[in-house]
Amino acid sequence: MRKNEWYSDFVDAKYIPKNDDIVCLFRFNAADGISKTEAMGRIASESSVGTWTTLATLPKVLPKLKAHSFWRNRDFCKVAYPRILFEPGSITGFLAGPAGNIFGMKAVDNLRLVDVAFPREYVKSFRGPTFGVDAIKRIFKKKSGPITAVVPKPKLGYTAREHAEKVAYAIWRGGIDCVKDDENLTNQTFNRFSERVKSLARVRDKAEKETGEIKEAFVNVTAPDLRELEKRIKMVYDNGFRYFMLDVVISGFTAAQTASNMAHDYNMAIHAHRAMHAMFTRNEKHGISMLLLAKLMRLIGVDQLHIGTAIGKLEGSKKAIVATKDMILSKEVNEIPMLRLHQDWGSIKPMLPVASGGLHPGLLPQIFDIYKTTDMVAQVGGGTQGHPMGTEAGARAVMQTIDAYHQNIDLREYAEGHSELKEALKKWGFRRPK
Ligand code: CAP
Ligand code: MG
């Protein structure tokens, strides 16, 4: 132990976590001159009750509050935290410890919070999704998924009326369930939020009447402050939508929890876009894993979350995506060494995975095979609006692909009797965008 330091007090290989402890799995690289044990002590100390030097006075309760780094395998370690350390029902209150200062410690060159096993009592302090998987049946009255969505592309540029009357109308007419705002569409001068919501509601009613199908929109309520966020959610609700969309990472965890509480109050569902996540999820050696971000979002209570495709245009390994998909859809999942901890969800509803990013009809069957379910949301933006015969045909091609998949018919064979699918396969085939 170095003079005037007490980090080693936070390392105990004999410590056996209590059932009620919160256990974090970290991946770390100790800095030069720092042993792995010293690094583990710093991680546990700085993320719970410690600091860089010994202290003159200590509260009596301190031994009960200390975290224990109790396990290591190569550059992975586990730290157990007494649940009492954290405010129940608050993701921000949790992250400020195990995902706070420690990322910046000089004692580590890299640090990644890979997963967290939350005990039942802690899980119970969250509300979870309002609908989650149930949205398929309770909102869309469908026996099985996927829920289909299309983002008007290009991302920005349409006026509110063009967005609704030109693009959304064609998407809904083509059989798609939901028209999704892009992540960077909020309240621009050329596409005002209030006008977009009202125009979409008017066109939705028209499309529902003409198709006899339930039509929804994922209107992006991402806002500059919580008061405006609440106003936008209320406006979407007042215009008869059951969903709203939030950029949960960009908005932050307090906004996400505020939105979830409002979704419960209004009996609405949240489509969670994860834009900016790759800033801290992508580097396997540093940051927070996408799996853990998804776990936090299920606790907070979003109903569906983008989790990656493995074969589309954005990064994400198939192994990690499948481990995440299983964790958000299941009641309980087992540990996968160095990737995922055991988690029992109690009565928290399963959350729907969203596959999106570079998808087109030729790729959808592969997505359903990777996910091993169609209980999901399939978003196809460019892969619908880039269709040679236009947006409505692009939407029909997506729906034809899903029909073919459900009937276990090869796409090329199904395309023989469906011109929209045939044209889509002619343009994109089965290529995986880079
Ligand atoms: C997809 C998308 C989504 C990405 C987000 C886009 O459009 O609208 O934001 O899927 O990535 O802007 O790229 P396309 P992820 O369907 O035209 O690709 O799903 O990985 O969070
Ligand atoms: Mg987008």
Side-chain angles (χ1 to χ4, degrees), residues 45-59:
S45 161
E46 289 287 356
S47 61
S48 60
V49 292
T51 190
W52 64 276
T53 179
T54 48
L55 301 170
T57 53
L58 292 175

Side-chain angles (χ1 to χ4, degrees), residues 151-153 155 180-185 245 247 273 275 306 313-314 356-357 379:
V151 180
K153 299 285 178 179
K155 289 176 186 268
K180 172 186 171 294
D181 281 1
D182 231 325
E183 65 280 355
N184 54 345
L185 177 58
M245 166 176 151
D247 293 340
H273 198 292
H306 291 240
K313 69 184 184 189
L314 297 150
S356 171
Q379 193 294 122

Side-chain angles (χ1 to χ4, degrees), residues 99-119:
N101 294 349
I102 52 176
F103 289 124
M105 291 189 306
K106 286 182 180 167
V108 290
D109 288 339
N110 288 295
L111 179 67
R112 183 176 179 84
L113 180 50
V114 178
D115 197 8
V116 180
F118 293 107

